[in-house]
């Protein structure tokens, strides 16, 4: 819809918006767990809380108005000192339970609703060990997966994985706070979320 408004027609953009509204309604009616205050992993696993599902719901405005804090609190059930597990009972075939790709969706969701402290806490847990040169697994890059103890379960685990790099975008767009509004940065917005940082530069 955004692209259509820039280079196409308002009528087509309105069609896309209407489709998006229908999708939002269908997802919410199927997956919103009112009792728990979160979006369920699926209709078959209504009590499983997953960070990626709820992080995206926060980013794209699917969370019912006024329920954002309930979602943020519910997600903490998955946190441990090394990040957040994928969800109760969920595990990669080789035993990895912490997936930075999905955690990036949660940190993005937290930043979208101004929970900068929560986003930083989860970033530090997840990526802090990856950027610590004292860590025996340190590679100077981001890792594909971690296990519940913060290590890896297989020798073929990627310790330089692009899909784990969400903080590089989030630190620029949300923490430093610079985002394009118009095509090619013809217009832009600057809204920093510094949290407890002493400074940010970019």
């Amino acid at each position: 819809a955004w692209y259509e408004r820039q280079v196409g027609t308002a009528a087509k953009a309105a069609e896309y918006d209407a489709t998006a509204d229908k999708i939002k309604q269908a997802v919410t009616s199927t997956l919103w767990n009112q009792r728990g205050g979160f979006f369920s992993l699926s209709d078959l696993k209504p009590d499983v809380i997953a960070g990626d599902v709820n992080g995206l719901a926060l980013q794209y405005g699917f969370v019912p108005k006024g329920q954002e804090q309930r979602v943020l609190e519910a997600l903490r059930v998955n946190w441990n000192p090394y990040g957040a597990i994928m969800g109760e009972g969920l595990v990669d075939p080789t035993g990895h339970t912490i997936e930075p790709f999905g955690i990036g969706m949660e940190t993005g969701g937290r930043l979208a609703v101004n929970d900068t402290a929560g986003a930083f806490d989860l970033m530090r847990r997840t990526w802090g060990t990856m950027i610590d040169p004292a860590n025996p697994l340190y590679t100077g890059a981001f890792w594909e997966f971690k296990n519940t103890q913060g290590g890896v379960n297989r020798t073929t685990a990627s310790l330089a994985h692009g899909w784990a790099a969400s903080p590089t975008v989030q630190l620029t767009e949300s923490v430093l706070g610079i985002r394009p509004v118009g095509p090619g940065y013809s217009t832009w917005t600057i809204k920093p979320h510094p949290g407890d940082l002493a400074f940010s530069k970019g």
Side-chain angles (χ1 to χ4, degrees):
W2 183 88
Y3 279 114
E4 195 65 37
R5 286 191 181 89
Q6 307 307 313
V7 298
T9 68
K12 195 69 175 173
E15 286 181 28
Y16 289 142
D17 282 334
T19 299
D21 288 341
K22 288 176 185 175
I23 292 169
K24 177 180 175 180
Q25 184 178 7
V27 169
T28 303
S29 66
T30 303
L31 299 178
W32 175 248
N33 185 321
Q34 177 58 34
R35 180 178 49 82
F38 60 87
F39 279 89
S40 302
L41 176 67
S42 72
D43 58 345
L44 300 177
K45 296 187 177 183
D47 295 321
V48 175
I49 306 168
D52 52 1
V53 172
N54 287 278
L56 290 175
L58 288 164
Q59 288 183 60
Y60 296 121
F62 278 44
V63 176
K65 193 165 181 61
Q67 299 296 305
E68 295 85 358
Q69 192 60 41
R70 292 184 72 201
V71 173
L72 295 174
E73 289 302 318
L75 285 170
R76 286 184 178 266
V77 73
N78 292 332
W79 287 22
N80 77 13
Y82 307 103
I85 64 169
M86 291 184 271
E88 184 182 356
L90 303 179
V91 65
D92 165 87
T94 58
H96 289 99
T97 56
I98 296 174
E99 183 183 76
F101 179 65
I103 292 172
M105 296 176 197
E106 180 176 343
T107 54
R110 288 181 177 277
L111 289 166
V113 296
N114 299 314
D115 179 25
T116 306
F120 282 4
D121 187 353
L122 188 52
M123 279 186 191
R124 288 172 174 136
R125 291 168 189 252
T126 307
W127 287 275
T129 54
M130 297 184 204
I131 62 171
D132 180 2
N135 189 321
L137 296 174
Y138 175 77
T139 62
F142 298 131
W143 309 345
E144 179 182 11
F145 290 116
K146 296 198 294 188
N147 60 28
T148 306
Q149 291 75 42
V152 295
N153 284 16
R154 64 178 189 258
T155 56
T156 58
S158 170
L159 300 181
H161 214 74
W163 82 347
S166 56
T168 59
V169 174
Q170 293 168 2
L171 291 172
T172 299
E173 292 190 348
S174 295
V175 178
L176 192 61
I178 302 170
R179 291 176 180 261
V181 175
Y185 278 89
S186 57
T187 56
W188 65 88
T189 181
I190 302 176
K191 183 182 177 185
H193 293 80
D196 62 359
L197 299 180
F199 71 94
S200 63
K201 181 172 75 170

